[in-house]
Amino acid sequence: MRLRAYDYWAYIMTNPTKTVTYVGMTNNLPRRCAEHRAAADAGGGSFVGRYNVRHLVYFEYFGQVLEAIAREKQLKSLRREKKARFINAANPRWVFLDQMILTGEVDIGLPLKLQ
């Protein structure tokens, strides 16, 4: 998918052991995945670095920034169990999607639905 100025995603990332979740919003999902990986590699004081949050497991596409922001806020307000329900519905095995996006195996412009 070619990125346009009005592409936005709400997303959930996790650490390698799938024990931590992180919710965010971006206008460039591949770039944001790379930023998370770099921050996790660097370690340090940020949440991402401290908890090694580097793998994308869930995303939703939006054409309007306000919709993406609202969804990010909604996802952030949920308890981990409810976030897990969203992830399980679209990605039941919690497959790490970050590399799949970079190789084009997953189209970030379509709803996420893995077996």
Short mmCIF file of all heavy atoms in Angstrom, two decimals, residues 2 11 22 45 48 65-66 74 77 79-80 82 86 102 104 113 115:
data_model
loop_
_atom_site.label_atom_id
_atom_site.label_comp_id
_atom_site.label_asym_id
_atom_site.label_seq_id
_atom_site.Cartn_x
_atom_site.Cartn_y
_atom_site.Cartn_z
N ARG A 2 0.58 2.16 -0.85
CA ARG A 2 1.31 3.42 -0.89
C ARG A 2 0.71 4.37 0.14
O ARG A 2 -0.50 4.56 0.21
CB ARG A 2 1.19 4.02 -2.29
CG ARG A 2 2.01 5.26 -2.44
CD ARG A 2 2.02 5.74 -3.85
NE ARG A 2 2.73 7.00 -3.84
CZ ARG A 2 2.78 7.80 -4.86
NH1 ARG A 2 2.20 7.47 -5.98
NH2 ARG A 2 3.43 8.92 -4.79
N TYR A 11 -2.75 1.21 16.85
CA TYR A 11 -2.05 -0.08 16.85
C TYR A 11 -1.76 -0.54 18.27
O TYR A 11 -1.77 0.25 19.21
CB TYR A 11 -0.76 0.02 16.04
CG TYR A 11 0.25 0.98 16.62
CD1 TYR A 11 1.18 0.56 17.56
CD2 TYR A 11 0.26 2.32 16.25
CE1 TYR A 11 2.10 1.46 18.11
CE2 TYR A 11 1.18 3.22 16.78
CZ TYR A 11 2.10 2.77 17.71
OH TYR A 11 3.00 3.65 18.26
N TYR A 22 1.26 -2.16 24.37
CA TYR A 22 1.45 -0.72 24.19
C TYR A 22 0.52 -0.28 23.07
O TYR A 22 0.52 -0.88 21.99
CB TYR A 22 2.90 -0.43 23.80
CG TYR A 22 3.17 1.03 23.49
CD1 TYR A 22 3.65 1.89 24.45
CD2 TYR A 22 2.93 1.55 22.21
CE1 TYR A 22 3.90 3.22 24.17
CE2 TYR A 22 3.17 2.88 21.92
CZ TYR A 22 3.65 3.71 22.90
OH TYR A 22 3.88 5.02 22.62
N GLY A 45 15.00 4.69 29.64
CA GLY A 45 13.93 5.05 30.54
C GLY A 45 12.54 5.05 29.95
O GLY A 45 11.57 5.14 30.68
N VAL A 48 8.79 1.83 26.19
CA VAL A 48 9.16 0.92 25.10
C VAL A 48 10.52 0.28 25.38
O VAL A 48 10.70 -0.93 25.23
CB VAL A 48 9.15 1.65 23.75
CG1 VAL A 48 9.76 0.81 22.65
CG2 VAL A 48 7.72 2.05 23.39
N VAL A 65 -7.72 11.54 10.89
CA VAL A 65 -6.87 11.57 12.08
C VAL A 65 -7.70 11.55 13.36
O VAL A 65 -7.32 10.88 14.33
CB VAL A 65 -5.89 12.75 12.05
CG1 VAL A 65 -6.60 14.09 12.19
CG2 VAL A 65 -4.82 12.59 13.13
N LEU A 66 -8.81 12.26 13.40
CA LEU A 66 -9.61 12.30 14.63
C LEU A 66 -10.19 10.93 14.97
O LEU A 66 -10.33 10.58 16.15
CB LEU A 66 -10.71 13.35 14.53
CG LEU A 66 -10.21 14.79 14.44
CD1 LEU A 66 -11.38 15.77 14.31
CD2 LEU A 66 -9.34 15.15 15.64
N GLN A 74 -9.59 5.07 23.09
CA GLN A 74 -10.49 4.00 23.52
C GLN A 74 -9.70 2.74 23.86
O GLN A 74 -9.92 2.12 24.90
CB GLN A 74 -11.51 3.71 22.41
CG GLN A 74 -12.51 2.64 22.78
CD GLN A 74 -13.45 2.31 21.64
OE1 GLN A 74 -13.04 2.29 20.48
NE2 GLN A 74 -14.71 2.08 21.96
N SER A 77 -7.76 2.95 27.11
CA SER A 77 -8.58 2.92 28.32
C SER A 77 -8.98 1.50 28.73
O SER A 77 -9.44 1.29 29.85
CB SER A 77 -9.83 3.77 28.14
OG SER A 77 -10.74 3.13 27.27
N ARG A 79 -8.70 -2.49 29.78
CA ARG A 79 -7.83 -3.38 30.53
C ARG A 79 -7.16 -4.35 29.56
O ARG A 79 -7.64 -4.56 28.45
CB ARG A 79 -8.63 -4.15 31.57
CG ARG A 79 -9.28 -3.23 32.59
CD ARG A 79 -10.00 -4.06 33.60
NE ARG A 79 -8.99 -4.65 34.48
CZ ARG A 79 -8.96 -4.48 35.79
NH1 ARG A 79 -9.89 -3.76 36.36
NH2 ARG A 79 -8.02 -5.03 36.52
N ARG A 80 -6.08 -4.95 29.98
CA ARG A 80 -5.31 -5.85 29.13
C ARG A 80 -6.19 -6.97 28.56
O ARG A 80 -6.04 -7.35 27.40
CB ARG A 80 -4.13 -6.45 29.91
CG ARG A 80 -3.20 -7.24 28.99
CD ARG A 80 -2.22 -8.07 29.75
NE ARG A 80 -1.10 -8.58 29.03
CZ ARG A 80 -1.10 -9.31 27.94
NH1 ARG A 80 -2.21 -9.57 27.33
NH2 ARG A 80 0.01 -9.76 27.40
N LYS A 82 -9.32 -6.99 27.72
CA LYS A 82 -10.14 -6.52 26.60
C LYS A 82 -9.29 -6.22 25.37
O LYS A 82 -9.70 -6.48 24.25
CB LYS A 82 -10.97 -5.31 27.01
CG LYS A 82 -12.08 -5.68 27.96
CD LYS A 82 -13.06 -4.56 28.16
CE LYS A 82 -14.17 -5.02 29.08
NZ LYS A 82 -15.20 -4.01 29.24
N PHE A 86 -9.46 -8.04 21.30
CA PHE A 86 -9.33 -7.45 19.97
C PHE A 86 -8.20 -8.12 19.19
O PHE A 86 -8.35 -8.45 18.02
CB PHE A 86 -9.06 -5.94 20.06
CG PHE A 86 -10.28 -5.13 20.37
CD1 PHE A 86 -10.46 -4.59 21.62
CD2 PHE A 86 -11.26 -4.92 19.41
CE1 PHE A 86 -11.59 -3.85 21.92
CE2 PHE A 86 -12.39 -4.18 19.69
CZ PHE A 86 -12.56 -3.64 20.96
N LEU A 102 6.81 -4.94 6.51
CA LEU A 102 7.96 -4.49 5.71
C LEU A 102 8.16 -5.33 4.46
O LEU A 102 8.60 -4.81 3.44
CB LEU A 102 9.23 -4.51 6.57
CG LEU A 102 9.22 -3.53 7.75
CD1 LEU A 102 10.47 -3.69 8.59
CD2 LEU A 102 9.07 -2.10 7.28
N GLY A 104 5.65 -6.83 2.89
CA GLY A 104 4.43 -6.77 2.08
C GLY A 104 3.50 -7.96 2.27
O GLY A 104 2.52 -8.09 1.54
N LYS A 113 -6.87 -9.67 9.57
CA LYS A 113 -7.55 -10.92 9.89
C LYS A 113 -6.63 -12.07 9.52
O LYS A 113 -6.49 -12.43 8.37
CB LYS A 113 -8.87 -11.03 9.12
CG LYS A 113 -9.71 -12.21 9.55
CD LYS A 113 -10.20 -12.05 10.97
CE LYS A 113 -11.10 -13.20 11.36
NZ LYS A 113 -11.33 -13.27 12.78
N GLN A 115 -5.30 -16.16 10.39
CA GLN A 115 -5.83 -17.46 10.89
C GLN A 115 -5.07 -17.92 12.10
O GLN A 115 -3.96 -17.73 12.28
CB GLN A 115 -5.74 -18.52 9.78
CG GLN A 115 -6.50 -18.14 8.55
CD GLN A 115 -7.99 -17.97 8.79
OE1 GLN A 115 -8.56 -18.57 9.70
NE2 GLN A 115 -8.64 -17.16 7.99
#
